[in-house]
Amino acid sequence: MVRDETVLDGGVTHYLKYTWKKKLIMSGLVAMTALLSLYAISAGSAELTPWQVVLTLLGRTEGQSQIIIWSIRLPRVLAALVAGIGLAVAGAVMQNILRNPLAAPSTLGIAQGAAFGAALAIIGWGAGSTPSSGGGALLINSPYIVTISAFVAAMLTTLIILFLAQYKGVSPESMVLAGVALGSLFSAATMLLQYFTNDVNVAAVVFWTFGDIGRASWGELGIMSFVVFGAMLFFLFNRWNYNALDSGTETAKGLGVNVERTRQLGMFVASLITATIVSFLGIIAFIGLVAPHLVKRLIGGDNRFLIPASGVMGALLLLAADTLSRRIIAPVVLPVGAVTSFLGAPLFLYLLVRGSKLR
Amino acid sequence: MILSVNGVEFRYGCRTILENIGFTVRRGEFLSILGNNGAGKSTLLKTLNKILLPQQGSIYVGQQELCKLSRLSIALKMAYVAQNYGSNRQTVFDAVLLGRKPHIKWEATAADLALVQGILVKTGLAEFALRYLDELSGGELQKVVIARALAQEPEVLLLDEPTSNLDLKNQMEVLKTIRTAAKEKNIAVVAVMHDLNLALRFSDKFVLLQDTKVFVAGGSEVMTAENITQAYGVSVSVDRVQGQTVVIPR
Ligand SMILES: Nc1ncnc2c1ncn2[C@@H]1O[C@H](COP(=O)(O)OP(=O)(O)O)[C@@H](O)[C@H]1O
Ligand SMILES: [Mg+2]
């Protein structure tokens, strides 16, 4: 065995090169997201050039383009980015701590819980019973009550899941099964509510469940950003714990990880992000499932890179889906939740078929 | 005395697995835990790392009682290598770097990376550094988990059947590496060993478990044909061949 300094340094240099490659890919994703954001802000019924967008963002122009950008397009693009980051990061962490590649907000019943909460508010408490004079799409009168009710129901789902894990000894791996069961329970309850109410309410509930980025204005964006970035910091603080968990429970314990607490807190924070986003925007499926899987293919499962890169990938995917939903049959805006499912399902199947090497 | 175990009792429900276990280990010593399958060896090792909490008895690490220490402070003193471990899609370098986890505040430093590379070289894993764990042979993987434990720079090294997946050459190499590290860094090693001859060759102390209890414990003087025959239920003779003590089943 050789034991001289050059071999030692050589090995470390190789390793550093290997991590730089990951950072390079991550920077590439960031750059793509930035370019797409610029396009998304400039594209729309009032076409603006990217240069006008830059000037407006720098505060160098006035008039109509300023209003369009600052009050319509910018909050929408930022909301897509923030929600994409949040959903993807939550999915990445859930997949890690539950040791199940299928873990995601929608497979854990959290999204269905939120939908039930919204339906209860709209139908049960009349938060959307009278059609607004604005007519057409806006059937929800008290968006705050609906949002809060959706949020509470989503967090309740989370608490049930945590309770099952903590006191009933359901293993992390089977948590997704419990989530599927909870999800269909909530879906059934939502269906029943819809069955016994009038058409207008049914339409309002269905409308709510279609995830739609356009629901966020600056206020909602502020709350979502606060939750997502706080959670991101929390996850990054725990990235070594998550890496240790990847090597098995006992090994993680031997490495000094408080496994139970790491799992519970991680699940709680990931669900908090999901509940916040879903209750503001409605159900947006597949981002939390697909983004982490794509990133694992690109740069592997090391949580030091996986967590931030999944965030960027989620932002990119959701912004792409939202831009597509605005542009594809403009001026009609499709619900982004339908677009993510439409694109996400085949993408996921493709990953399954191609990704036999991937955990 | 870096590790002392007194009157430890462990039960799964009302099934007693360990009863009145006691022994001590000093720094630099290599202690082998021996016994038939199901004797409770892995269970004992897990109680030593607080992965399982004994219902009775006390375990001291240095001057401190184990059950009062947090997971992190245990990890700073003791490394544990489980009997069964999975592989995943992680490079060898990253897997060994994980051993630095208890010492890392926010990110691995240059010193951490250099230490990992040094251990990879010592354990003969340097050429695999950027290979994925799920592309390694069983023996190579076993070396990786041992290398990770060494990267933890523990005072006590707990190993559950560290050579069960290795061929003859690698058994010798890995145990030599462990013993050298133990002597150089003054680490106490507690290893569950399934191969009596390797245990005899590398250990200073022995604990023979039989039927939930310590059948006999002590230095090489306890490894008599009679004790081994009774503890394992197989009649053996103990001979000296070319300066090594060997156990031969009859
Ligand atoms: N989680 C468990 N629940 C109940 N019994 C267990 C559990 N783990 C191990 N045992 C039992 O404890 C005994 C000792 O196991 P172990 O310590 O693994 O033995 P070994 O000496 O082969 O390492 C065995 O009889 C085993 O069946
Ligand atoms: Mg065992």
Side-chain angles (χ1 to χ4, degrees):
Chain A
M1 270 173 243
V2 206
R3 254 202 169 167
D4 75 61
E5 288 296 310
T6 53
V7 173
L8 283 182
D9 289 348
V12 171
T13 311
H14 267 124
Y15 178 71
L16 288 177
K17 259 192 204 149
Y18 159 80
T19 58
W20 284 334
K21 237 185 255 165
K22 297 184 180 192
K23 288 178 190 161
L24 202 67
I25 293 175
M26 218 148 77
S27 317
L29 285 175
V30 171
M32 279 165 69
T33 311
L35 285 178
L36 182 63
S37 307
L38 202 58
Y39 169 75
I41 298 175
S42 59
S45 50
E47 290 285 348
L48 302 166
T49 63
W51 182 238
Q52 277 175 301
V53 173
V54 174
L55 284 182
T56 310
L57 290 180
L58 293 174
R60 296 285 185 76
T61 50
E62 290 189 0
Q64 207 196 356
S65 65
Q66 203 189 11
I67 295 167
I68 292 174
I69 288 179
W70 282 101
S71 58
I72 301 170
R73 296 209 190 140
L74 190 58
R76 184 174 186 124
V77 167
L78 288 179
L81 295 178
V82 169
I85 293 173
L87 291 170
V89 167
V93 170
M94 283 170 170
Q95 283 159 28
N96 174 287
I97 53 189
L98 298 182
R99 305 183 61 67
N100 189 325
L102 280 179
S106 46
T107 51
L108 284 167
I110 298 170
Q112 291 85 340
F116 171 73
L120 195 65
I122 293 168
I123 298 169
W125 303 329
S129 56
T130 38
S132 72
S133 51
L138 271 179
L139 298 168
I140 295 172
N141 281 346
S142 324
Y144 288 108
I145 295 180
V146 179
T147 300
I148 289 168
S149 172
F151 180 82
V152 168
M155 287 316 285
L156 209 66
T157 318
T158 307
L159 292 182
I160 296 174
I161 287 184
L162 287 177
F163 172 82
L164 289 174
Q166 173 77 13
Y167 298 104
K168 298 291 164 194
V170 178
S171 73
E173 292 87 348
S174 0
M175 213 45 98
V176 167
L177 297 177
V180 169
L182 277 177
S184 56
L185 187 70
F186 279 119
S187 301
T190 309
M191 257 190 263
L192 279 181
L193 281 176
Q194 287 176 316
Y195 190 75
F196 289 110
T197 189
N198 58 42
D199 294 356
V200 178
N201 279 341
V202 172
V205 172
V206 170
F207 174 76
W208 184 91
T209 44
F210 292 154
D212 176 14
I213 307 289
R215 274 176 224 171
S217 61
W218 285 105
E220 284 91 28
L221 183 60
I223 299 174
M224 285 198 301
S225 308
F226 179 77
V227 172
V228 167
F229 289 105
M232 185 73 149
L233 266 185
F234 173 82
F235 290 151
L236 286 177
F237 259 107
N238 278 288
R239 66 204 191 288
W240 287 94
N241 289 337
Y242 301 147
N243 277 348
L245 275 178
D246 256 345
S247 305
T249 306
E250 279 175 2
T251 303
K253 283 184 179 172
L255 289 168
V257 179
N258 189 333
V259 172
E260 289 78 20
R261 204 184 55 199
T262 304
R263 282 215 168 106
Q264 278 160 15
L265 279 178
M267 266 309 284
F268 182 80
V269 175
S271 309
L272 185 69
I273 302 184
T274 312
T276 309
I277 293 171
V278 171
S279 45
F280 280 128
L281 303 181
I283 294 175
I284 299 168
F286 275 105
I287 299 289
L289 200 57
V290 168
H293 282 283
L294 272 175
V295 169
K296 272 187 205 163
R297 298 217 88 192
L298 286 175
I299 62 171
D302 183 344
N303 286 285
R304 289 181 292 162
F305 304 101
L306 175 66
I307 292 175
S310 293
V312 181
M313 181 64 89
L316 183 62
L317 289 180
L318 189 54
L319 182 62
D322 185 52
T323 309
L324 200 65
S325 74
R326 287 198 293 136
R327 305 295 294 153
I328 192 161
I329 45 170
V332 175
V333 178
L334 292 174
V336 72
V339 176
T340 57
S341 297
F342 216 75
L343 299 179
L347 188 57
F348 191 64
L349 286 176
Y350 169 77
L351 285 175
L352 283 181
V353 176
R354 285 284 318 272
S356 47
K357 261 187 167 178
L358 182 144
R359 253 167 30 86
Chain B
M1 218 57 76
I2 184 71
L3 192 65
S4 54
V5 179
N6 300 299
V8 161
E9 181 172 327
F10 183 84
R11 275 171 276 131
Y12 276 117
C14 40
R15 185 159 161 231
T16 305
I17 310 291
L18 298 171
E19 240 178 310
N20 196 21
I21 307 289
F23 58 85
T24 57
V25 195
R26 286 174 209 280
R27 285 170 185 274
E29 272 181 351
F30 191 126
L31 177 138
S32 282
I33 300 176
L34 304 166
N36 276 330
N37 288 340
K41 306 181 295 295
S42 298
T43 308
L44 175 56
L45 210 62
K46 284 178 199 167
T47 61
L48 298 183
N49 202 31
K50 207 180 154 189
I51 291 174
L52 295 175
L53 272 179
Q55 279 86 5
Q56 259 178 48
S58 63
I59 298 168
Y60 279 87
V61 189
Q63 299 302 312
Q64 287 155 307
E65 200 169 359
L66 183 71
C67 62
K68 296 204 179 105
L69 293 175
S70 71
R71 280 239 155 273
L72 184 61
S73 37
I74 294 171
L76 287 166
K77 289 172 188 294
M78 292 204 273
Y80 167 76
V81 175
Q83 184 172 7
N84 303 308
Y85 38 80
S87 68
N88 55 20
R89 198 141 184 90
Q90 183 182 32
T91 62
V92 170
F93 199 107
D94 283 317
V96 177
L97 183 60
L98 201 52
R100 299 302 297 159
K101 199 215 151 267
H103 304 269
I104 290 172
K105 297 282 182 292
W106 173 254
E107 192 46 76
T109 61
D112 290 320
L113 299 183
L115 187 137
V116 167
Q117 178 63 18
I119 288 170
L120 290 179
V121 171
K122 254 193 237 168
T123 47
L125 287 168
E127 56 176 313
F128 302 119
L130 294 184
R131 280 260 288 277
Y132 291 106
L133 296 192
D134 56 11
E135 293 168 357
L136 296 181
S137 75
E140 288 154 358
L141 188 60
Q142 192 151 35
K143 280 189 181 180
V144 172
V145 289
I146 292 169
R148 171 159 64 210
L150 290 174
Q152 226 172 312
E153 292 194 303
E155 294 170 29
V156 182
L157 194 52
L158 306 172
L159 305 167
D160 201 341
E161 306 206 357
T163 57
S164 56
N165 285 320
L166 300 177
D167 57 31
L168 193 59
K169 171 170 173 282
N170 281 298
Q171 286 179 343
M172 295 299 289
E173 267 180 28
V174 163
L175 285 174
K176 271 183 194 156
T177 310
I178 291 169
R179 191 173 59 182
T180 311
K183 301 295 172 210
E184 270 175 12
K185 307 238 170 76
N186 225 6
I187 302 171
V189 180
V190 178
V192 171
M193 298 286 286
H194 74 295
D195 185 320
L196 278 171
N197 289 318
L198 282 174
L200 278 166
R201 191 159 176 156
F202 285 94
S203 350
D204 310 298
K205 276 185 165 176
F206 304 86
V207 170
L208 264 105
L209 293 185
Q210 191 213 25
D211 192 20
T212 73
K213 298 186 196 72
V214 175
F215 180 74
V216 68
S220 52
E221 75 282 355
V222 304
M223 295 299 280
T224 61
E226 204 174 310
N227 282 342
I228 296 170
T229 300
Q230 288 200 29
Y232 278 88
V234 177
S235 110
V236 299
S237 62
V238 175
D239 290 317
R240 295 217 29 108
V241 177
Q242 299 186 356
Q244 300 290 339
T245 309
V246 291
V247 177
I248 303 157
R250 272 202 290 246

